[in-house]
Amino acid sequence: MLGVQLVQEQRIRLSITPEMKQSFHLLTMSGQDLTRYLQDVAEENPVLELEEHAAPLARIPRRVDQRSYASYDPLLQAKGAEPTLEQLLIAQIRVMILPDKLEKMAVYLAGCVNDDGYLTVELAEVQSVLKVSMNEIATGLELLQSLDPSGVGARNLQECLLLQIRRDPSAVLYAERMVEAGLEALVPFHPGRTGSRLGMTSREAQTAYDYIARLDPKPCRSIGCTERTHYIIPDAIVGLHNGEAHFSLHAAGNPRVSMNEACFRWIRDESPDEIWSNRAAEARAIIRSLHLRRRTLMRVLAAVMEEQKPFLVKGPSALKPLNLAIIAEKIGMHESTISRAVNGKYIETPHGVYELRAFFASGIGTTSGDKTSASVVKQRLKEIVRTEQSHRPHSDSQLATLLAEDGIIISRRTVAKYREELHILPSLERKRWA
């Protein structure tokens, strides 16, 4: 017979509060993302006040007249919008003395060119839209392809390369013939076989190939670019002074917030509705999370730089193998917290700006029993490839053997993986025939 019992037991369970979730979220953010997030929160919550950093005052040159400088308007120095590729092509067409029909045809085709400079419309479609003959369309296309930059208006890569070669007075002999023969003759490239097939010597085939490799497959990609330059603001600055590492958080990437005193005093004295009390509690939680974020970043940064101190002295070649577990044990935190702390963070060092994750390199065994980092192996691999003989490049197996002579034991497949990550071509494509 079933019965009902009242049982009391004690359990310990970890629960994540909303404030802890917010702390994790802020810790994961980069400095720029954090600034944007705090700006949005400060707009919605009047209790929270974001401290603005004063911009440095512009210094007036001594030779500049103070009276004329007083009327200086910085808006007049603002850079205007870059003209688009279509506008640049149409501007070239407008200065030509052309029949109205041909000018209309060329302007229409200029509007059908994509950002890389290729014509994206079929000529038959142009004929059906403009109701003109194919000969007139061909004349308009020829006019479009005569504009600058060379290669614009091409319908495929082969035609783009041919347009550039035919307009270059210093084009290498046989380059046009090699492209006309088909791009499959260029990848992979073998000067002996290509030369015998096209009636040229290996030296002539190699010279033509090197010239073709210098041509631009996307001749218009830098014109009318609408993408904004992405600037990296480091979250921390690390330096070496008298053999000791000194580091600090960058002010631009670690904004400071505070409570609006007037608003907080009103909430405390007047005791308004619960909404304002919740906003005050939210502001206090964000301030505590930011303090915790700064403290965690400083502890992680100090531990990483202590482990990678040889890097500050000698540069990237002295990077040591490092993983999250070592730092977590060193500062008494969980690996997931360390992972959040280094995610998307950049630091400024004496050797340049590096992502914080770059200091966590996997270890590779050496003949001495020690371990070296993957970045050191890649740098050594680049040095070997750079000093090899161009007519006898090393294969992946030979590169693995040469690294083994330096005490670095890795397989041929690992060499191939690192070579691809460094954008180094295979030995057959690196070979240059004399």
PDB file of all heavy atoms in Angstrom, residues 364 377-378 381 395-401 403 409-421:
ATOM      1  N   ILE A 364      54.879  22.018 -28.530  1.00  0.00           N
ATOM      2  CA  ILE A 364      55.395  21.015 -29.466  1.00  0.00           C
ATOM      3  C   ILE A 364      56.693  20.471 -28.886  1.00  0.00           C
ATOM      4  O   ILE A 364      57.569  21.238 -28.454  1.00  0.00           O
ATOM      5  CB  ILE A 364      55.628  21.635 -30.859  1.00  0.00           C
ATOM      6  CG1 ILE A 364      54.294  22.085 -31.448  1.00  0.00           C
ATOM      7  CG2 ILE A 364      56.308  20.643 -31.789  1.00  0.00           C
ATOM      8  CD1 ILE A 364      54.429  22.805 -32.767  1.00  0.00           C
ATOM      9  N   VAL A 377      57.593  27.644 -34.081  1.00  0.00           N
ATOM     10  CA  VAL A 377      57.791  26.689 -35.175  1.00  0.00           C
ATOM     11  C   VAL A 377      57.413  27.324 -36.508  1.00  0.00           C
ATOM     12  O   VAL A 377      58.115  27.163 -37.515  1.00  0.00           O
ATOM     13  CB  VAL A 377      56.971  25.411 -34.920  1.00  0.00           C
ATOM     14  CG1 VAL A 377      57.121  24.439 -36.085  1.00  0.00           C
ATOM     15  CG2 VAL A 377      57.408  24.751 -33.625  1.00  0.00           C
ATOM     16  N   LYS A 378      56.308  28.069 -36.532  1.00  0.00           N
ATOM     17  CA  LYS A 378      55.896  28.728 -37.771  1.00  0.00           C
ATOM     18  C   LYS A 378      56.920  29.767 -38.212  1.00  0.00           C
ATOM     19  O   LYS A 378      57.205  29.906 -39.408  1.00  0.00           O
ATOM     20  CB  LYS A 378      54.532  29.391 -37.578  1.00  0.00           C
ATOM     21  CG  LYS A 378      53.381  28.407 -37.421  1.00  0.00           C
ATOM     22  CD  LYS A 378      52.065  29.136 -37.210  1.00  0.00           C
ATOM     23  CE  LYS A 378      50.915  28.166 -36.994  1.00  0.00           C
ATOM     24  NZ  LYS A 378      49.628  28.872 -36.789  1.00  0.00           N
ATOM     25  N   LEU A 381      59.750  27.956 -39.701  1.00  0.00           N
ATOM     26  CA  LEU A 381      59.350  27.435 -41.006  1.00  0.00           C
ATOM     27  C   LEU A 381      59.424  28.527 -42.068  1.00  0.00           C
ATOM     28  O   LEU A 381      59.887  28.288 -43.201  1.00  0.00           O
ATOM     29  CB  LEU A 381      57.936  26.861 -40.910  1.00  0.00           C
ATOM     30  CG  LEU A 381      57.352  26.198 -42.155  1.00  0.00           C
ATOM     31  CD1 LEU A 381      58.194  25.003 -42.559  1.00  0.00           C
ATOM     32  CD2 LEU A 381      55.914  25.769 -41.910  1.00  0.00           C
ATOM     33  N   SER A 395      60.311  20.130 -50.042  1.00  0.00           N
ATOM     34  CA  SER A 395      59.001  19.523 -49.897  1.00  0.00           C
ATOM     35  C   SER A 395      58.617  19.519 -48.415  1.00  0.00           C
ATOM     36  O   SER A 395      59.429  19.847 -47.540  1.00  0.00           O
ATOM     37  CB  SER A 395      59.008  18.097 -50.442  1.00  0.00           C
ATOM     38  OG  SER A 395      59.897  17.283 -49.682  1.00  0.00           O
ATOM     39  N   ASP A 396      57.378  19.140 -48.129  1.00  0.00           N
ATOM     40  CA  ASP A 396      56.935  19.107 -46.734  1.00  0.00           C
ATOM     41  C   ASP A 396      57.739  18.107 -45.924  1.00  0.00           C
ATOM     42  O   ASP A 396      58.057  18.349 -44.753  1.00  0.00           O
ATOM     43  CB  ASP A 396      55.447  18.770 -46.670  1.00  0.00           C
ATOM     44  CG  ASP A 396      54.583  19.883 -47.246  1.00  0.00           C
ATOM     45  OD1 ASP A 396      55.081  21.022 -47.350  1.00  0.00           O
ATOM     46  OD2 ASP A 396      53.420  19.616 -47.587  1.00  0.00           O
ATOM     47  N   SER A 397      58.098  16.985 -46.525  1.00  0.00           N
ATOM     48  CA  SER A 397      58.906  15.995 -45.817  1.00  0.00           C
ATOM     49  C   SER A 397      60.296  16.542 -45.519  1.00  0.00           C
ATOM     50  O   SER A 397      60.845  16.330 -44.424  1.00  0.00           O
ATOM     51  CB  SER A 397      59.013  14.712 -46.642  1.00  0.00           C
ATOM     52  OG  SER A 397      57.731  14.146 -46.871  1.00  0.00           O
ATOM     53  N   GLN A 398      60.887  17.238 -46.485  1.00  0.00           N
ATOM     54  CA  GLN A 398      62.206  17.832 -46.257  1.00  0.00           C
ATOM     55  C   GLN A 398      62.144  18.928 -45.203  1.00  0.00           C
ATOM     56  O   GLN A 398      63.079  19.080 -44.392  1.00  0.00           O
ATOM     57  CB  GLN A 398      62.753  18.388 -47.572  1.00  0.00           C
ATOM     58  CG  GLN A 398      63.082  17.319 -48.604  1.00  0.00           C
ATOM     59  CD  GLN A 398      63.438  17.901 -49.963  1.00  0.00           C
ATOM     60  OE1 GLN A 398      63.015  19.008 -50.307  1.00  0.00           O
ATOM     61  NE2 GLN A 398      64.207  17.154 -50.737  1.00  0.00           N
ATOM     62  N   LEU A 399      61.040  19.707 -45.185  1.00  0.00           N
ATOM     63  CA  LEU A 399      60.891  20.736 -44.161  1.00  0.00           C
ATOM     64  C   LEU A 399      60.791  20.101 -42.775  1.00  0.00           C
ATOM     65  O   LEU A 399      61.372  20.623 -41.803  1.00  0.00           O
ATOM     66  CB  LEU A 399      59.646  21.579 -44.441  1.00  0.00           C
ATOM     67  CG  LEU A 399      59.716  22.507 -45.659  1.00  0.00           C
ATOM     68  CD1 LEU A 399      58.355  23.148 -45.908  1.00  0.00           C
ATOM     69  CD2 LEU A 399      60.771  23.586 -45.461  1.00  0.00           C
ATOM     70  N   ALA A 400      60.082  18.971 -42.669  1.00  0.00           N
ATOM     71  CA  ALA A 400      59.990  18.272 -41.385  1.00  0.00           C
ATOM     72  C   ALA A 400      61.363  17.772 -40.944  1.00  0.00           C
ATOM     73  O   ALA A 400      61.708  17.831 -39.752  1.00  0.00           O
ATOM     74  CB  ALA A 400      59.014  17.110 -41.491  1.00  0.00           C
ATOM     75  N   THR A 401      62.189  17.317 -41.900  1.00  0.00           N
ATOM     76  CA  THR A 401      63.542  16.850 -41.573  1.00  0.00           C
ATOM     77  C   THR A 401      64.420  18.002 -41.102  1.00  0.00           C
ATOM     78  O   THR A 401      65.188  17.863 -40.130  1.00  0.00           O
ATOM     79  CB  THR A 401      64.165  16.165 -42.799  1.00  0.00           C
ATOM     80  OG1 THR A 401      63.323  15.090 -43.229  1.00  0.00           O
ATOM     81  CG2 THR A 401      65.544  15.627 -42.463  1.00  0.00           C
ATOM     82  N   LEU A 403      63.419  20.788 -39.710  1.00  0.00           N
ATOM     83  CA  LEU A 403      62.968  21.199 -38.387  1.00  0.00           C
ATOM     84  C   LEU A 403      63.457  20.218 -37.326  1.00  0.00           C
ATOM     85  O   LEU A 403      63.787  20.616 -36.196  1.00  0.00           O
ATOM     86  CB  LEU A 403      61.442  21.300 -38.365  1.00  0.00           C
ATOM     87  CG  LEU A 403      60.826  22.475 -39.139  1.00  0.00           C
ATOM     88  CD1 LEU A 403      59.305  22.345 -39.177  1.00  0.00           C
ATOM     89  CD2 LEU A 403      61.213  23.812 -38.518  1.00  0.00           C
ATOM     90  N   ILE A 409      60.283  18.335 -33.400  1.00  0.00           N
ATOM     91  CA  ILE A 409      59.758  17.084 -33.928  1.00  0.00           C
ATOM     92  C   ILE A 409      58.283  17.262 -34.276  1.00  0.00           C
ATOM     93  O   ILE A 409      57.423  17.325 -33.394  1.00  0.00           O
ATOM     94  CB  ILE A 409      59.924  15.933 -32.912  1.00  0.00           C
ATOM     95  CG1 ILE A 409      61.371  15.858 -32.417  1.00  0.00           C
ATOM     96  CG2 ILE A 409      59.486  14.623 -33.527  1.00  0.00           C
ATOM     97  CD1 ILE A 409      62.375  15.620 -33.522  1.00  0.00           C
ATOM     98  N   ILE A 410      57.986  17.375 -35.567  1.00  0.00           N
ATOM     99  CA  ILE A 410      56.598  17.421 -36.032  1.00  0.00           C
ATOM    100  C   ILE A 410      56.488  16.574 -37.290  1.00  0.00           C
ATOM    101  O   ILE A 410      57.486  16.312 -37.978  1.00  0.00           O
ATOM    102  CB  ILE A 410      56.115  18.867 -36.329  1.00  0.00           C
ATOM    103  CG1 ILE A 410      57.014  19.542 -37.369  1.00  0.00           C
ATOM    104  CG2 ILE A 410      56.063  19.691 -35.063  1.00  0.00           C
ATOM    105  CD1 ILE A 410      56.514  20.919 -37.770  1.00  0.00           C
ATOM    106  N   SER A 411      55.277  16.148 -37.599  1.00  0.00           N
ATOM    107  CA  SER A 411      55.059  15.283 -38.751  1.00  0.00           C
ATOM    108  C   SER A 411      54.925  16.110 -40.032  1.00  0.00           C
ATOM    109  O   SER A 411      54.801  17.336 -40.006  1.00  0.00           O
ATOM    110  CB  SER A 411      53.791  14.457 -38.540  1.00  0.00           C
ATOM    111  OG  SER A 411      52.651  15.310 -38.475  1.00  0.00           O
ATOM    112  N   ARG A 412      54.961  15.398 -41.162  1.00  0.00           N
ATOM    113  CA  ARG A 412      54.815  16.064 -42.449  1.00  0.00           C
ATOM    114  C   ARG A 412      53.444  16.723 -42.572  1.00  0.00           C
ATOM    115  O   ARG A 412      53.309  17.817 -43.124  1.00  0.00           O
ATOM    116  CB  ARG A 412      55.010  15.041 -43.578  1.00  0.00           C
ATOM    117  CG  ARG A 412      54.933  15.654 -44.980  1.00  0.00           C
ATOM    118  CD  ARG A 412      54.702  14.588 -46.024  1.00  0.00           C
ATOM    119  NE  ARG A 412      53.437  13.910 -45.813  1.00  0.00           N
ATOM    120  CZ  ARG A 412      52.257  14.389 -46.192  1.00  0.00           C
ATOM    121  NH1 ARG A 412      52.173  15.579 -46.780  1.00  0.00           N
ATOM    122  NH2 ARG A 412      51.150  13.694 -45.975  1.00  0.00           N
ATOM    123  N   ARG A 413      52.402  16.075 -42.034  1.00  0.00           N
ATOM    124  CA  ARG A 413      51.056  16.641 -42.112  1.00  0.00           C
ATOM    125  C   ARG A 413      50.956  17.927 -41.298  1.00  0.00           C
ATOM    126  O   ARG A 413      50.272  18.868 -41.690  1.00  0.00           O
ATOM    127  CB  ARG A 413      50.033  15.616 -41.601  1.00  0.00           C
ATOM    128  CG  ARG A 413      49.913  14.379 -42.487  1.00  0.00           C
ATOM    129  CD  ARG A 413      48.892  13.411 -41.940  1.00  0.00           C
ATOM    130  NE  ARG A 413      47.564  14.003 -41.910  1.00  0.00           N
ATOM    131  CZ  ARG A 413      46.485  13.385 -41.456  1.00  0.00           C
ATOM    132  NH1 ARG A 413      46.595  12.150 -40.972  1.00  0.00           N
ATOM    133  NH2 ARG A 413      45.315  13.979 -41.458  1.00  0.00           N
ATOM    134  N   THR A 414      51.660  17.985 -40.166  1.00  0.00           N
ATOM    135  CA  THR A 414      51.662  19.213 -39.367  1.00  0.00           C
ATOM    136  C   THR A 414      52.400  20.315 -40.110  1.00  0.00           C
ATOM    137  O   THR A 414      51.993  21.484 -40.066  1.00  0.00           O
ATOM    138  CB  THR A 414      52.313  18.957 -38.001  1.00  0.00           C
ATOM    139  OG1 THR A 414      51.660  17.864 -37.357  1.00  0.00           O
ATOM    140  CG2 THR A 414      52.201  20.190 -37.120  1.00  0.00           C
ATOM    141  N   VAL A 415      53.483  19.967 -40.792  1.00  0.00           N
ATOM    142  CA  VAL A 415      54.197  20.959 -41.602  1.00  0.00           C
ATOM    143  C   VAL A 415      53.283  21.522 -42.684  1.00  0.00           C
ATOM    144  O   VAL A 415      53.235  22.734 -42.915  1.00  0.00           O
ATOM    145  CB  VAL A 415      55.467  20.328 -42.219  1.00  0.00           C
ATOM    146  CG1 VAL A 415      56.092  21.280 -43.246  1.00  0.00           C
ATOM    147  CG2 VAL A 415      56.482  19.999 -41.144  1.00  0.00           C
ATOM    148  N   ALA A 416      52.541  20.634 -43.348  1.00  0.00           N
ATOM    149  CA  ALA A 416      51.616  21.087 -44.390  1.00  0.00           C
ATOM    150  C   ALA A 416      50.532  21.991 -43.799  1.00  0.00           C
ATOM    151  O   ALA A 416      50.137  22.998 -44.407  1.00  0.00           O
ATOM    152  CB  ALA A 416      50.983  19.888 -45.087  1.00  0.00           C
ATOM    153  N   LYS A 417      50.055  21.668 -42.604  1.00  0.00           N
ATOM    154  CA  LYS A 417      49.033  22.485 -41.953  1.00  0.00           C
ATOM    155  C   LYS A 417      49.572  23.878 -41.635  1.00  0.00           C
ATOM    156  O   LYS A 417      48.927  24.893 -41.936  1.00  0.00           O
ATOM    157  CB  LYS A 417      48.571  21.796 -40.677  1.00  0.00           C
ATOM    158  CG  LYS A 417      47.638  22.622 -39.820  1.00  0.00           C
ATOM    159  CD  LYS A 417      47.356  21.934 -38.500  1.00  0.00           C
ATOM    160  CE  LYS A 417      46.567  22.841 -37.564  1.00  0.00           C
ATOM    161  NZ  LYS A 417      46.343  22.216 -36.242  1.00  0.00           N
ATOM    162  N   TYR A 418      50.775  23.938 -41.045  1.00  0.00           N
ATOM    163  CA  TYR A 418      51.366  25.238 -40.714  1.00  0.00           C
ATOM    164  C   TYR A 418      51.684  26.031 -41.983  1.00  0.00           C
ATOM    165  O   TYR A 418      51.531  27.246 -42.018  1.00  0.00           O
ATOM    166  CB  TYR A 418      52.636  25.040 -39.893  1.00  0.00           C
ATOM    167  CG  TYR A 418      52.393  24.586 -38.470  1.00  0.00           C
ATOM    168  CD1 TYR A 418      53.434  24.110 -37.671  1.00  0.00           C
ATOM    169  CD2 TYR A 418      51.112  24.601 -37.922  1.00  0.00           C
ATOM    170  CE1 TYR A 418      53.211  23.692 -36.368  1.00  0.00           C
ATOM    171  CE2 TYR A 418      50.881  24.172 -36.628  1.00  0.00           C
ATOM    172  CZ  TYR A 418      51.933  23.720 -35.854  1.00  0.00           C
ATOM    173  OH  TYR A 418      51.709  23.312 -34.568  1.00  0.00           O
ATOM    174  N   ARG A 419      52.121  25.339 -43.023  1.00  0.00           N
ATOM    175  CA  ARG A 419      52.442  26.025 -44.283  1.00  0.00           C
ATOM    176  C   ARG A 419      51.197  26.668 -44.884  1.00  0.00           C
ATOM    177  O   ARG A 419      51.250  27.804 -45.381  1.00  0.00           O
ATOM    178  CB  ARG A 419      53.058  25.018 -45.260  1.00  0.00           C
ATOM    179  CG  ARG A 419      53.369  25.591 -46.633  1.00  0.00           C
ATOM    180  CD  ARG A 419      54.015  24.565 -47.528  1.00  0.00           C
ATOM    181  NE  ARG A 419      53.244  23.348 -47.631  1.00  0.00           N
ATOM    182  CZ  ARG A 419      52.129  23.219 -48.342  1.00  0.00           C
ATOM    183  NH1 ARG A 419      51.640  24.269 -48.984  1.00  0.00           N
ATOM    184  NH2 ARG A 419      51.497  22.064 -48.399  1.00  0.00           N
ATOM    185  N   GLU A 420      50.069  25.983 -44.827  1.00  0.00           N
ATOM    186  CA  GLU A 420      48.821  26.547 -45.338  1.00  0.00           C
ATOM    187  C   GLU A 420      48.358  27.717 -44.486  1.00  0.00           C
ATOM    188  O   GLU A 420      47.834  28.707 -45.012  1.00  0.00           O
ATOM    189  CB  GLU A 420      47.749  25.458 -45.392  1.00  0.00           C
ATOM    190  CG  GLU A 420      48.024  24.377 -46.429  1.00  0.00           C
ATOM    191  CD  GLU A 420      47.005  23.258 -46.373  1.00  0.00           C
ATOM    192  OE1 GLU A 420      46.121  23.312 -45.488  1.00  0.00           O
ATOM    193  OE2 GLU A 420      47.099  22.321 -47.204  1.00  0.00           O
ATOM    194  N   GLU A 421      48.537  27.629 -43.165  1.00  0.00           N
ATOM    195  CA  GLU A 421      48.157  28.743 -42.294  1.00  0.00           C
ATOM    196  C   GLU A 421      49.012  29.974 -42.555  1.00  0.00           C
ATOM    197  O   GLU A 421      48.548  31.105 -42.386  1.00  0.00           O
ATOM    198  CB  GLU A 421      48.282  28.324 -40.830  1.00  0.00           C
ATOM    199  CG  GLU A 421      47.254  27.279 -40.401  1.00  0.00           C
ATOM    200  CD  GLU A 421      47.446  26.837 -38.959  1.00  0.00           C
ATOM    201  OE1 GLU A 421      48.440  27.291 -38.332  1.00  0.00           O
ATOM    202  OE2 GLU A 421      46.623  26.052 -38.460  1.00  0.00           O
TER     203      GLU A 421
END
